[in-house]
C-alpha cells in the first residue's frame, strides 16, 4: 500500500523558515519522481515542486522559486522541502505524492498533509 507521511509544519512569522519532510512507503520510491503540492483554504491545489528520481533535476512553481528548496534522500525514502522567506500567502496544507508533472495537482486524501501557517 502506497503511503506518505508528512511532517514539519507549524506557525511561523513572515520571513521565517520551515523544513518539511515526507516519508514514503509501499513502492519503489527511488524509481519515481516526487512532488510537493499545497492547497490553501478555498483554492485549488498547486504543485510547487517536482524532484526527479535521482534528485538532480528539480522544478519549482514561480510562486516559490528562489525561496523554497526541494531535495530527496532515496536511502530513507524521504523528500524534503526547505521553505525560506515565508509569506502569508504560503499558508496552506502541504503534502507530497509521486509524479513528475508540475501541472498536475490533485486534492489530498483525508488526514494527509502538514499545515503551514504564516502569520504575524
Amino acid at each position: 500500500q502506497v503511503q506518505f507521511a508528512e511532517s514539519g509544519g507549524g506557525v511561523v512569522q513572515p520571513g521565517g523558515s520551515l523544513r518539511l519532510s515526507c516519508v514514503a512507503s509501499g513502492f519503489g520510491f527511488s524509481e519515481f519522481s516526487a512532488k510537493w503540492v499545497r492547497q490553501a483554504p478555498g483554492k485549488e491545489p498547486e504543485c510547487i515542486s517536482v524532484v526527479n528520481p535521482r534528485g538532480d533535476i528539480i522544478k519549482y512553481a514561480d510562486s516559490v522559486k528562489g525561496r523554497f528548496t526541494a531535495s530527496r534522500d532515496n536511502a530513507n525514502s524521504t523528500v524534503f522541502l526547505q521553505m525560506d522567506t515565508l509569506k502569508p500567502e504560503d499558508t496552506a496544507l502541504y503534502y507530497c505524492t509521486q509524479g513528475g508533472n508540475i501541472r498536475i495537482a490533485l486534492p489530498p486524501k483525508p488526514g494527509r498533509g502538514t499545515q503551514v501557517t504564516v502569520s504575524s
Side-chain angles (χ1 to χ4, degrees):
Q1 183 179 359
V2 175
Q3 291 185 325
F4 299 91
E6 299 91 352
S7 62
V11 180
V12 63
Q13 293 187 339
S17 298
L18 283 173
R19 181 176 172 84
L20 306 184
S21 300
C22 174
V23 180
S25 61
F27 69 103
F29 176 79
S30 63
E31 301 174 24
F32 295 90
S33 293
K35 59 170 66 175
W36 282 99
V37 183
R38 68 183 182 184
Q39 186 170 26
K43 295 188 176 181
E44 294 295 315
E46 175 190 21
C47 180
I48 56 174
S49 181
V50 172
V51 185
N52 75 328
R54 288 174 48 177
D56 57 355
I57 299 175
I58 305 172
K59 299 177 183 178
Y60 298 96
D62 288 343
S63 57
V64 304
K65 198 173 295 182
R67 300 187 298 120
F68 290 10
T69 304
S71 60
R72 65 190 292 163
D73 175 0
N74 284 341
N76 292 294
S77 298
T78 303
V79 60
F80 302 97
L81 186 67
Q82 176 66 40
M83 306 187 297
D84 298 315
T85 320
L86 282 161
K87 304 176 181 179
E89 52 264 43
D90 294 318
T91 295
L93 181 70
Y94 286 71
Y95 50 100
C96 66
T97 187
Q98 58 182 202
N101 192 333
I102 202 167
R103 297 186 184 91
I104 297 176
L106 300 179
K109 293 182 179 179
R112 285 286 314 279
T114 185
Q115 179 68 39
V116 172
T117 302
V118 184
S119 175
S120 55

